[in-house]
Amino acid sequence: MTKIVIIGGVAGGASAAARARRLSEEAQILMFERGPFVSFANCGLPYHIGGEITERSKLLLQTPESFLARFNVDVRVMSEVTHIDRQEKTVTIKNLTDGSEYQESYDFLLLSPGASPVIPPIEGINNPLTHSLRNIPDMDKILETIATNRPDHATVVGGGFIGLEMVEAFHRLGIPTTLLEMADQVMTPVDREMAGFAHAEIRNQGIDLRLGTALKSVQYAPTTSIASENSGEDEVHQHIQGELTLTLSNDEQLTTELLIMAIGVRPEIKLAQEAGLQIGALGGIVTNPAMQTSDPSIYAVGDAVEEQDFVTGKPTIVPLAGPANRQGRMAADNMLGRNETYQGTQGTAICKIFDLAVASTGKNEKQLQRDGIAYEKVYVHTASHASYYPGAEIVSFKMLFDPQSGKIFGAQAVGKDGIDKRIDVMAVAQRAGMTVEQLQHLELTYAPPYGSAKDVINQAAFVATNLIKGDAVAIHYDEIDNLSEDQILLDVRNPGELKNGYLEGAVNIPVDQLRQRMNELPKDKEIIIYCQVGLRGNVAYRQLVNNGYKARNLLGGYRTYMFANK
């Protein structure tokens, strides 16, 4: 009889336990969780704080009792594994309720410890009004602080998924909020110009967004409130209240009553390190494609491991629930004699930011530059469904690809409708090894309420294929402010559109007048064409080059340029 011991529940561990039982009724399966809850929806925590998920119980996907009843898995909560003896194949468990210790043997061990919030060594950070959010006890503490301190202002440090979701939660609760982000953008999986749409939305909602600003120190000033509660006998409960004075990296000060640290997470590797398992250069547990660690009897999955990047094949750390669930399933398969391999992580992700969705898959531009990979990019801004049907919203879409082979490196999309659909399609196309040329031929559903006859993805593929074939020559938003005397800007929008912004020094000739007025343009200079989103610019580009002019079209048009500077 195979004995499988799993350290850590939630996504990877719980998936492995359930899969192992489905494959074998004979296996003995033990799962240890040091917290009070197993298999909870940690991605839903901010939404319970904000009130969208009203019932706390909905976050508890399984209990030890339900796991035992359905899967015959022995789940032990409040049980911390403190030591792994690889030679004896045993683990030491500490019961956090009574402090007792005991040992369990294993045939296979699965590490699914997750990741812990990064809390930098900031002066004064350890105080009762500062929280991180990783599990249900964390959530409960935040809710308790909101109830007892009744904050007039909250501050969130970090503009990643958790930080953005917490900002929205506080906004829903009517708590004025400041968001501090040390980088020049929120949502680092997307590039700066795509994050600009999120910046505009965050500020439009009344959030005090401060980019390029870090937290330097915290000063806690407590006040004490004593409340008497009657529960059979009079019990006096003391609630700590107070405020925080935050000193920022620009030496400004900010007063707040609730502080959330959400600057990221790091893999929980203490147990693995102490057991002598190999740790990678990125700080995660090294695994092979079968999810085995450097000890073939020990597997590891989820946020704690270094996995293979789907695009580059290099190690990466991607703390997302989807990869963790798939890895847990495959580890269980392999423990029980199958031969499954993990096929790499694309990092496909989406975040709700008020009315916007921001999503991405694959590599972004920053990562491609860091890895020295040659790439090209295109932008498309078009309607989520037929523009004449009510409710259409603009989908702003960016695609990155190999300028020679057309291999898809990544995609990003922002908008109010149809964002998940487009990035999901791109994730599948990338996984299938499709090129941008092949994306032209995707046949996606079309009816006016749902899509367009030429979908956003088809259109991006048309633009990309034009670049590869030489039918178009691009210029990008980040080159516009550095034009030479040998270049001239041509705005081909209608004059009425210029009131919403334009590029300084541009000549304005509407595209529909260009054939008649082309002689107003010099042939000895390169014409840099732009319109609102790039479509009319391409029409103008073809007219000009077909008449012997040298020209380039601003991809994504004025819209991309404008939001890149938000």
Side-chain angles (χ1 to χ4, degrees), residues 5-18 29-42 59 61-64 67 73-81 109-115 134-135 268 271 300-304 320-321 323-329:
V5 170
I6 298 170
I7 301 174
V10 197
S15 292
I29 307 169
L30 276 72
M31 184 157 62
F32 296 101
E33 171 60 52
R34 68 183 171 197
F37 303 100
V38 65
S39 192
F40 60 90
N42 50 2
L59 299 172
L61 306 179
Q62 294 279 359
T63 64
F67 240 113
V73 172
D74 182 357
V75 178
R76 303 179 191 176
V77 295
M78 301 303 290
S79 298
E80 182 175 10
V81 176
L109 181 63
L110 177 70
L111 302 180
S112 180
R134 192 65 183 161
N135 53 39
E268 284 265 17
L271 258 184
V301 300
D303 296 0
L320 293 172
N325 275 288
R326 298 198 307 278
Q327 291 163 4
R329 176 187 173 93

Side-chain angles (χ1 to χ4, degrees), residues 239-466:
H239 297 301
I240 300 295
Q241 297 180 318
E243 65 180 26
L244 303 173
T245 301
L246 310 182
T247 302
L248 310 181
S249 53
N250 56 9
D251 290 329
E252 288 183 14
Q253 289 197 320
L254 182 66
T255 300
T256 196
E257 285 87 34
L258 175 57
L259 177 61
I260 303 294
M261 297 300 296
I263 63 173
V265 296
R266 63 165 59 97
E268 284 265 17
I269 57 170
K270 184 169 178 283
L271 258 184
Q273 264 182 322
E274 290 173 353
L277 299 176
Q278 186 182 351
I279 305 299
L282 301 177
I285 303 168
V286 172
T287 57
N288 64 18
M291 303 314 300
Q292 281 173 308
T293 67
S294 51
D295 183 327
S297 297
I298 302 177
Y299 292 72
V301 300
D303 296 0
V305 307
E306 292 187 8
E307 57 236 288
Q308 186 185 54
D309 183 280
F310 181 80
V311 177
T312 66
K314 295 178 180 177
T316 186
I317 294 178
V318 182
L320 293 172
N325 275 288
R326 298 198 307 278
Q327 291 163 4
R329 176 187 173 93
M330 288 173 188
D333 280 357
N334 293 332
M335 288 176 186
L336 292 167
R338 299 200 174 188
N339 186 22
E340 297 289 335
T341 56
Y342 186 68
Q343 305 291 319
T345 297
Q346 293 164 274
T348 309
I350 189 166
C351 186
K352 178 182 180 294
I353 304 175
F354 297 100
D355 291 335
L356 276 188
V358 181
S360 62
T361 191
K363 309 303 282 183
N364 60 36
E365 203 169 336
K366 301 182 290 283
Q367 293 165 332
L368 293 171
Q369 289 172 353
R370 183 192 65 208
D371 292 341
I373 297 172
Y375 66 92
E376 184 54 276
K377 57 186 175 181
V378 296
Y379 300 91
V380 176
H381 305 279
T382 191
S384 57
H385 60 247
S387 55
Y388 56 81
Y389 187 90
E393 299 282 357
I394 294 176
V395 174
S396 294
F397 184 84
K398 176 180 183 178
M399 182 168 66
L400 298 150
F401 58 95
D402 186 310
Q404 303 300 320
S405 68
K407 176 185 176 181
I408 300 163
F409 288 145
Q412 302 164 29
V414 184
K416 295 183 179 180
D417 180 52
I419 301 305
D420 52 346
K421 174 164 101 171
R422 271 64 189 212
I423 293 301
D424 284 344
V425 169
M426 288 303 300
V428 173
Q430 184 181 56
R431 177 77 53 175
M434 294 179 69
T435 64
V436 294
E437 193 278 332
Q438 290 169 324
L439 285 182
Q440 297 179 106
H441 307 289
L442 284 184
E443 194 169 321
L444 304 173
T445 55
Y446 165 57
Y450 302 110
S452 300
K454 287 189 291 188
D455 189 78
V456 178
I457 291 172
N458 297 124
Q459 292 197 36
F462 295 153
V463 178
T465 305
N466 281 343

Side-chain angles (χ1 to χ4, degrees), residues 149-218:
N149 208 34
R150 294 186 290 279
D152 294 322
H153 182 273
T155 302
V156 176
V157 180
F161 293 98
I162 296 291
L164 292 168
E165 288 161 2
M166 286 305 301
V167 164
E168 185 168 353
F170 292 144
H171 184 267
R172 280 180 60 89
L173 294 172
I175 303 171
T177 303
T178 295
L179 174 58
L180 305 176
E181 172 52 63
M182 189 164 64
D184 64 349
Q185 68 166 92
V186 302
M187 276 290 284
T188 51
V190 302
D191 289 310
R192 176 65 180 76
E193 71 279 17
M194 301 300 282
F197 296 99
H199 299 159
E201 175 71 8
I202 291 165
R203 290 183 171 123
N204 287 344
Q205 295 289 343
I207 303 301
D208 174 24
L209 172 62
R210 306 194 191 188
L211 299 172
T213 307
L215 178 61
K216 198 159 132 186
S217 67
V218 181

Side-chain angles (χ1 to χ4, degrees), residues 3 5-8 30-34 76 78-96 99-106 109 111 270-271 274-275 298:
K3 184 176 181 181
V5 170
I6 298 170
I7 301 174
L30 276 72
M31 184 157 62
F32 296 101
E33 171 60 52
R34 68 183 171 197
R76 303 179 191 176
M78 301 303 290
S79 298
E80 182 175 10
V81 176
T82 58
H83 180 68
I84 301 168
D85 187 327
R86 289 166 52 194
Q87 279 65 44
E88 296 295 322
K89 296 182 82 167
T90 61
V91 292
T92 302
I93 303 102
K94 182 177 183 179
N95 184 324
L96 298 180
S100 62
E101 286 192 347
Y102 61 99
Q103 291 187 325
E104 288 282 356
S105 63
Y106 64 84
L109 181 63
L111 302 180
K270 184 169 178 283
L271 258 184
E274 290 173 353
I298 302 177

